[in-house]
Amino acid sequence: MIEIADVGVRFGGVHALSGVGLTVAEGETCGVIGPNGAGKTTLFDVITGLRRPTTGTVRLDGRDVTAAGAVQRARLGVRRTFQRPQVFGRLTVLDNVLAAVEWHGGGGGLAADLLGLRARRRLADRRREHARAVLERCGIADLADHYAADLPIGRRRMVELARALADEPRVLLLDEPTSGLDGEQAARFGEVVAGLEATVLLVEHDVGFVMAACERVVVLDLGKVIADGPPARVREDPAVRTAYLGASA
Ligand SMILES: Nc1ncnc2c1ncn2[C@@H]1O[C@H](COP(=O)(O)OP(=O)(O)O)[C@@H](O)[C@H]1O
Ligand SMILES: [Mg+2]
């Protein structure tokens, strides 16, 4: 589903990524770990189309999307959350989720806009019901009518997740989703992610969470992939222990 080959990103003299190759199969849940500045967020930016790599190619579902923008990739079903949650602060939680489905349009064109046709109203009701169900799944149904800006960061992360899940993502990228969540919220987050059919890439600080939630873990250090495999093997990898796990333990 995701195929990255020889990707490099340079910021002036900084090699944020160099020679990165990564293939993630459809439906796989793959964790990405590594110290601060390793290039994890930059990798997400390259996959989602927010940053054009200096070298290399990105393929999604077999298509070369290296030159495609973020909107085109979103239309292929790519969704993400951000290390600093990005919600529509002046919209309610429910409207944040509805915003993610309304780009499909209401059907019926201008006439339906002007006349408020019954079919249009039924569609709007169905979407509202669906959005509420997504909030329920994310454990924030009680916040539907709150403005997103008023929520603490952990709740905003759940709003972002709900919005990302609103129209069946095919590829979901989560950037440090459990930071700012308490234990119970993180567990809920893990459950929701475990139940997804989407291909998931998950950047996480909490190594325990990654090892539990992912069937595979990729380790980045200084812009390079230094390990890639099942959690148990990655945990024992001497290079990983030196670069990361040892340092954080
Ligand atoms: N917009 C930018 N301009 C300049 N340097 C950047 C920019 N974004 C990231 N970097 C640098 O690229 C490297 C990788 O950053 P990042 O991808 O954010 O790492 P991580 O998410 O693993 O902490 C770091 O050295 C960072 O300082
Ligand atoms: Mg980051």
Side-chain angles (χ1 to χ4, degrees):
M1 182 60 79
I2 307 173
E3 289 174 87
I4 295 165
D6 194 34
V7 159
V9 172
R10 256 193 7 228
F11 295 109
V14 175
H15 292 261
L17 295 174
S18 34
V20 170
L22 176 65
T23 304
V24 187
E26 183 164 8
E28 196 172 18
T29 298
C30 178
V32 180
I33 62 173
N36 262 330
K40 305 179 297 294
T41 295
T42 303
L43 178 66
F44 273 22
D45 290 346
V46 166
I47 295 171
T48 52
L50 292 183
R51 181 155 314 271
R52 184 86 68 90
T54 319
T55 63
T57 54
V58 180
R59 299 174 77 83
L60 291 173
D61 201 13
R63 287 187 227 200
D64 188 332
V65 295
T66 314
V71 173
Q72 269 173 286
R73 296 188 205 189
R75 291 209 168 114
L76 294 175
V78 177
R79 299 287 179 272
R80 81 178 282 185
T81 63
F82 290 84
Q83 194 168 341
R84 290 170 47 138
Q86 307 288 318
V87 293
F88 301 117
R90 293 179 190 222
L91 296 184
T92 64
V93 167
L94 185 68
D95 283 340
N96 265 270
V97 176
L98 283 171
V101 289
E102 285 179 347
W103 68 275
H104 292 287
L110 183 63
D113 283 338
L114 296 174
L115 301 172
L117 297 179
R118 196 138 41 120
R120 176 66 73 84
R121 286 203 304 273
R122 273 203 303 271
L123 178 63
D125 289 345
R126 271 209 308 280
R127 283 182 177 166
R128 211 163 271 276
E129 240 168 75
H130 171 69
R132 283 189 191 280
V134 174
L135 292 181
E136 190 75 52
R137 193 164 142 211
C138 294
I140 50 173
D142 54 324
L143 300 177
D145 301 321
H146 287 63
Y147 287 106
D150 297 339
L151 302 176
I153 186 164
R155 305 280 77 186
R156 270 185 273 145
R157 285 202 190 283
M158 292 313 269
V159 174
E160 233 196 352
L161 177 68
R163 193 179 56 193
L165 298 184
D167 64 348
E168 301 302 321
R170 299 189 64 209
V171 174
L172 179 63
L173 292 89
L174 305 167
D175 199 348
E176 306 208 4
T178 69
S179 78
L181 303 193
D182 64 28
E184 194 184 315
Q185 292 169 342
R188 179 66 172 242
F189 208 107
E191 270 167 40
V192 174
V193 170
L196 296 177
E197 278 173 29
T199 305
V200 180
L201 259 188
L202 176 82
V203 163
E204 216 6 281
H205 243 63
D206 181 343
V207 176
F209 184 89
V210 172
M211 299 289 178
C214 301
E215 47 209 310
R216 178 174 155 212
V217 177
V218 171
V219 186
L220 278 180
D221 186 37
L222 300 172
K224 295 199 167 89
V225 175
I226 61 163
D228 180 347
R233 209 172 69 210
V234 165
R235 206 198 310 258
E236 300 308 323
D237 188 301
V240 174
R241 300 190 78 89
T242 311
Y244 186 54
L245 297 177
S248 72

